[in-house]
Amino acid sequence: RRAELELNLRNAVGIALMTIKGPASLVAEQSSARAMELCQRPGINFEQISLAFRGAYFAHLSRPDVRKAGETAVELLALAEEHGSADRIAATLNWLGLARLLSGEFELAAQDLDRAWALLESMAKPAISLPQLRAGGMPKTPTIELTSRVESQAFNRIYSAWNLWFLGYPDRALDQISIATAIAHDSGSKVVQVVVHDYATNVYELRRELDHTRERAEATLALSAELGNVIRRVMSEILLGWADAMAGDLDGGIARMRQYMLVLKAAGSEIRADYNLARIATALGRIGRFDEGLRTIGESFPFIERSGQRSYEAEVHRLKGELLLAQDGSNAAQAEHSLRTAIDISRKQHAKSWELRATTSLARLLLQQGKCDEARAMLAEIYNWFTEGFDTADLKDAKALLDELNA
């Protein structure tokens, strides 16, 4: 009985600790570890066990240890299926999908997220809305269950949006952002809204839509500051630093990104450090600080291996290649190796959007070397794969280069 009471308290305080101190902070980690230890006791309620697993999962994800996060999600999924909890199965499939997305397993992530969505859609629709529930229309327990389901729906669609971009469906990604945003707005939950804004920022940044990136990042910043969510606040500051740099304030943007990467690390997290370092390196290259840029992007690769976070791995290799070329034309051989590595990784991951970018970069280099036929063939193959997104910057760049090669 004492173990059960302590676990209830650990789970309750765990949410506050993860939000305010950060999921990977020492105090949150210690509390999460103790909760997981208590879960091993016989007779503990499954819902309390699932909450403890949730804390452990997000701690692993934020540290980040993507492999461990995925293993935790798989273990919880087995428990949820054993206990027949449809809401918990759907939520855990979302978490498993996110872990697989971050590890670069985009097709597996899509399967998990689609399965979760089908499960959520199959559940009986409530006879009363969430705002009515909050107004006291029904007892507390159904309110909690419905809130959990609404969160799962919003998170599922926004994770899917991010994943769809990687897989090569930039317009479908926007469709899912619209659905997630509508669900979050209707829920009235600021917690749900800040998550949706955060991931929408990532998608708009990948689509290279600076105004929408800044708009969503500022919304994330405002809500996360209000909620006391340190990780999302810092991540939005980093993205705003990138937006500053891309808008022309390179020195200010670099300083802002570096400042908040240090704040993030102090909170016990280095999530997305590989891509954040690559962003800084790219900005350094634009002001001619090539040696510093190459040292900075070089820090990304050991992080990728250590964390298992591979969703941006192909792009980091591509950006290194671009930086080498910008530094000196004599680096062409090294740059070509980086660009071909980026293509190989993107193909293994079925990441068509990364493959398009890397192939465009390589085709441009091959054109400079007079290898027009090879450049044309490889670029036409990946460009012709796409069925949507022709108004995006990446596809416009590829089309312009393809037209030049065909002239």
Side-chain angles (χ1 to χ4, degrees), residues 27-81:
V27 63
E29 182 182 355
Q30 289 174 338
S31 185
S32 175
R34 175 59 178 162
M36 290 297 288
E37 179 185 335
L38 292 165
C39 283
Q40 308 307 313
R41 307 287 182 89
I44 299 294
N45 179 276
F46 167 68
E47 284 303 318
Q48 291 302 319
I49 292 174
S50 68
L51 287 173
F53 268 80
R54 173 185 175 179
Y57 167 84
F58 282 107
H60 293 314
L61 206 64
S62 297
R63 196 164 295 122
D65 186 342
V66 176
R67 299 181 195 89
K68 193 65 178 176
E71 290 169 4
T72 302
V74 167
E75 192 174 350
L76 180 55
L77 180 59
L79 287 170
E81 289 173 336

Side-chain angles (χ1 to χ4, degrees), residues 230-287:
V230 62
I231 298 297
R232 297 201 189 280
R233 179 178 64 81
V234 173
M235 290 300 296
S236 60
E237 289 279 11
I238 293 170
L239 268 163
L240 286 168
W242 172 245
D244 290 343
M246 292 303 96
D249 183 9
L250 289 161
D251 288 320
I254 291 167
R256 190 173 186 178
M257 286 187 283
R258 280 181 163 163
Q259 175 190 349
Y260 284 100
M261 279 191 73
L262 290 174
V263 175
L264 191 64
K265 192 170 184 178
S269 178
E270 293 180 281
I271 191 166
R272 301 178 210 162
D274 53 339
Y275 195 38
N276 290 333
L277 287 165
R279 287 183 179 120
I280 292 172
T282 300
L284 287 167
R286 293 195 179 191
I287 53 176

Side-chain angles (χ1 to χ4, degrees), residues 184-312:
H185 179 268
D186 291 346
S187 76
S189 168
K190 292 180 180 178
V191 172
V192 176
Q193 290 169 17
V194 75
V195 172
V196 169
H197 283 311
D198 184 20
Y199 285 102
T201 303
N202 294 328
V203 179
Y204 282 119
E205 188 269 331
L206 291 169
R207 283 177 55 95
R208 294 164 60 187
E209 296 179 8
L210 190 60
D211 289 343
H212 286 120
T213 300
R214 186 182 294 279
E215 178 186 349
R216 291 287 186 148
E218 288 174 346
T220 305
L221 179 61
L223 279 172
S224 57
E226 182 179 347
L227 295 167
N229 190 317
V230 62
I231 298 297
R232 297 201 189 280
R233 179 178 64 81
V234 173
M235 290 300 296
S236 60
E237 289 279 11
I238 293 170
L239 268 163
L240 286 168
W242 172 245
D244 290 343
M246 292 303 96
D249 183 9
L250 289 161
D251 288 320
I254 291 167
R256 190 173 186 178
M257 286 187 283
R258 280 181 163 163
Q259 175 190 349
Y260 284 100
M261 279 191 73
L262 290 174
V263 175
L264 191 64
K265 192 170 184 178
S269 178
E270 293 180 281
I271 191 166
R272 301 178 210 162
D274 53 339
Y275 195 38
N276 290 333
L277 287 165
R279 287 183 179 120
I280 292 172
T282 300
L284 287 167
R286 293 195 179 191
I287 53 176
R289 290 157 63 179
F290 298 112
D291 290 343
E292 186 180 353
L294 286 167
R295 285 195 302 271
T296 300
I297 204 167
E299 297 175 32
S300 297
F301 300 107
F303 169 83
I304 289 168
E305 296 303 321
R306 183 175 73 252
S307 68
Q309 188 170 291
R310 298 185 179 275
S311 53
Y312 287 84

